[in-house]
Amino acid sequence: MKIGIIGGGSTYTPELIEGLIGRAGAIGLAEVVLMDNDPERLAIVGEFAKRMVTHAAAPFRVVLTAKRAEALDGASFVLTQFRVGHQQARHQDELLGLRHSLIGQETTGIGGMAKALRTLPVIFDICDEMDRLAPGAWLLNFTNPSGLVTEGILNHTPVKRAIGLCNVPIDMKMTVAKFFGVDESEIDMEFVGLNHLGWIRRVAIKGEDITARVLEFLASDQGPANIPDVDYKPELIRALGAVPLYYNRYYYNTERVLAQLQAKPKTRAEEVIDIENKLLAKYADPKQVTKPPELDERGGAYYSKIAVQLIEAIANDTGDEMVVNTQNRGAIPDLPATSVVEITARIGKDGATPRHVAPLEPSVRALIQRAKAYEELTVEAAKTRSYDAALRAIFTNPLGPTADRAKPVLDDLLATNALDYR
């Protein structure tokens, strides 16, 4: 098996390599091709990846290239994990939000929209090239905003064997497992929503429904104190009767989160730049042959776990259940069949089969449907370079400006990113 990784110079790559080392035999891995258009990053990360593989005596080789075709040609799996404009662009997204007193986070609000408009044209080109060079390959997308990008792939490109991934659902699952002192394999969760806008509606351990206990804990004084970023008011948890993901705080606690962002001395992008500089220095050390613990500061916990599990589940038709971004196909009755949703699904040789769920509670339905409409409009704008579609997208975004403020915000977004929309 050959795996091509677009964005191979990412500081996340060593975590992925560690996971592939552990399961190389189970998936028959022979070659990993790291492709990146940043030669310095590729050299540092790529040579470190080679040392990791050599140190572990893993049965596959690592190849470095600046040519996308070399990564795609003949691949069984293609992983996309790139960032157009690097962290500097993310920094500008956050400043864009702050200038307009809006959320500029990289996957939500106007920051997420800016990132999507930079990213989608690149992913469209990758998919066209994949269709020619690796028509039978699976595309696993980690590039943020993951759900929106996967929406663009599955509904606007020739690549139909594609699944989007995010570490947030498994992070929540592992948190529950640790709290109850069980292995995560013993936990079943009904997860429903969109990427970075989801809810856990049911939790069971070995078939026993413990949802009420989880909700009681989260609504208690002790709950939020023990789970980072889950700072919802008890009345919200009780009213919903479901566990909102911690990313939902951007929607439920908008004013409070915005005030926190405005008060921070650095943007998250600036923090990540500092972390990445330290990581790259570690990776460049020829004596470094295993993943450094500092990588945990970067975020993205369990990234390699879910990536490798997904590859193995497809390659070996295991039937594992995972939370992934895939087409709805009637699983959530409140959304179109073609909409890309984040949901618990059975994974096998034919990809993801989403688990069907009951209709959404009205407040959840309203938020999801508006967010999905924003995603659809953003993809349309990126595909057509239509200013009107972009304008509709920005004021449809649940975290965007009102319609009367939309034009100056959009004009700023487009100018900042040198995007020409007419």
Side-chain angles (χ1 to χ4, degrees):
M1 176 193 293
K2 172 183 173 179
I3 297 175
I5 301 177
I6 309 300
S10 166
T11 52
Y12 283 130
T13 296
E15 184 170 340
L16 180 58
I17 294 295
E18 181 183 62
L20 292 172
I21 287 171
R23 302 302 297 166
I27 61 177
L29 183 59
E31 182 177 79
V32 174
V33 181
L34 303 181
M35 178 270 160
D36 206 289
N37 57 13
D38 184 328
E40 183 179 3
R41 291 271 294 236
L42 181 62
I44 293 172
V45 176
E47 292 302 324
F48 175 44
K50 288 182 178 181
R51 293 196 303 275
M52 290 177 69
V53 170
T54 300
H55 176 73
F60 64 92
R61 68 175 186 146
V62 175
V63 177
L64 312 183
T65 183
K67 298 178 180 178
R68 199 164 64 197
E70 290 183 13
L72 299 179
D73 193 15
S76 298
F77 289 88
V78 175
L79 276 63
T80 45
Q81 55 173 36
F82 59 90
R83 182 184 295 275
V84 178
H86 304 287
Q87 293 294 338
Q88 290 77 12
R90 178 182 185 174
H91 176 58
Q92 291 302 321
D93 292 341
E94 294 182 81
L95 294 181
L96 171 70
L98 294 174
R99 281 198 297 275
H100 298 280
S101 297
L102 296 166
I103 299 292
Q105 199 269 342
E106 69 162 335
T107 60
T108 61
I110 60 171
M113 180 174 172
K115 189 172 193 304
L117 293 179
R118 290 193 303 271
T119 303
L120 285 164
V122 179
I123 207 79
F124 293 152
D125 286 345
I126 290 170
C127 289
D128 287 342
E129 197 167 8
M130 245 186 95
D131 189 46
R132 296 192 304 272
L133 299 176
W138 282 93
L139 174 56
L140 310 184
N141 177 62
F142 283 94
T143 297
N144 275 325
S146 181
L148 198 161
V149 171
T150 307
E151 173 85 26
I153 293 167
L154 286 171
N155 290 320
H156 294 273
T157 81
V159 174
K160 302 307 175 190
R161 304 181 95 187
I163 296 174
L165 276 177
C166 177
N167 71 304
V168 174
I170 192 171
D171 195 9
M172 295 288 282
K173 187 175 184 179
M174 297 298 281
T175 299
V176 173
K178 289 176 183 176
F179 179 75
F180 286 97
V182 299
D183 187 82
E184 58 94 11
S185 63
E186 299 178 74
I187 293 179
D188 178 69
M189 296 193 322
E190 181 186 292
F191 184 96
V192 62
L194 307 180
N195 179 233
H196 287 189
L197 181 60
W199 293 260
I200 299 169
R201 299 206 296 187
R202 180 179 177 275
V203 183
I205 296 178
K206 295 181 179 178
E208 178 190 356
D209 193 325
I210 62 163
T211 310
R213 291 167 61 190
V214 173
L215 293 173
E216 182 181 357
F217 170 70
L218 288 175
S220 71
D221 292 336
Q222 186 185 14
N226 282 275
I227 303 177
D229 300 319
V230 180
D231 55 352
Y232 301 117
K233 300 293 185 183
E235 57 267 28
L236 172 66
I237 299 292
R238 295 191 184 103
L240 285 172
V243 181
L245 290 195
Y246 50 80
Y247 264 92
N248 291 25
R249 69 187 187 277
Y250 291 104
Y251 300 89
Y252 287 138
N253 304 344
T254 307
E255 291 180 359
R256 179 149 45 106
V257 172
L258 179 59
Q260 291 168 353
L261 294 175
Q262 291 170 329
K264 287 181 65 175
K266 287 185 175 183
T267 64
R268 176 57 182 165
E270 290 175 307
E271 294 172 353
V272 171
I273 289 170
D274 291 342
I275 294 168
E276 289 198 329
N277 287 338
K278 293 174 185 175
L279 282 172
L280 290 169
K282 285 274 187 181
Y283 296 168
D285 182 352
K287 297 188 293 295
Q288 190 78 40
V289 293
T290 58
K291 184 188 77 175
E294 289 86 350
L295 184 52
D296 294 340
E297 298 176 31
R298 177 65 182 83
Y302 311 112
Y303 165 50
S304 68
K305 178 180 174 65
I306 55 175
V308 176
Q309 183 184 357
L310 182 58
I311 291 170
E312 187 170 354
I314 294 173
N316 297 337
D317 196 25
T318 66
D320 286 3
E321 286 205 333
M322 300 179 65
V323 177
V324 297
N325 288 270
T326 188
Q327 282 184 318
N328 184 33
R329 302 203 296 277
I332 302 175
D334 311 88
L335 289 171
T338 57
S339 291
V340 168
V341 297
E342 193 164 84
I343 194 165
T344 305
R346 181 192 179 280
I347 311 297
K349 61 182 175 62
D350 296 321
T353 302
R355 182 194 294 181
H356 285 235
V357 299
L360 301 173
E361 185 274 324
S363 70
V364 170
R365 181 183 69 220
L367 187 49
I368 283 183
Q369 287 180 337
R370 183 172 176 184
K372 177 49 64 177
Y374 146 72
E375 290 186 354
E376 292 169 351
L377 287 165
T378 301
V379 174
E380 179 189 344
K383 196 76 177 176
T384 62
R385 298 286 175 135
S386 163
Y387 184 91
D388 287 344
L391 191 66
R392 293 196 301 274
I394 203 167
F395 66 68
T396 300
N397 187 322
L399 295 172
T402 55
D404 61 342
R405 292 179 56 213
K407 187 179 187 304
V409 178
L410 177 60
D411 290 346
D412 191 357
L413 184 158
L414 296 175
T416 298
N417 289 277
L419 295 172
D420 183 17
Y421 278 47
R422 300 178 186 278

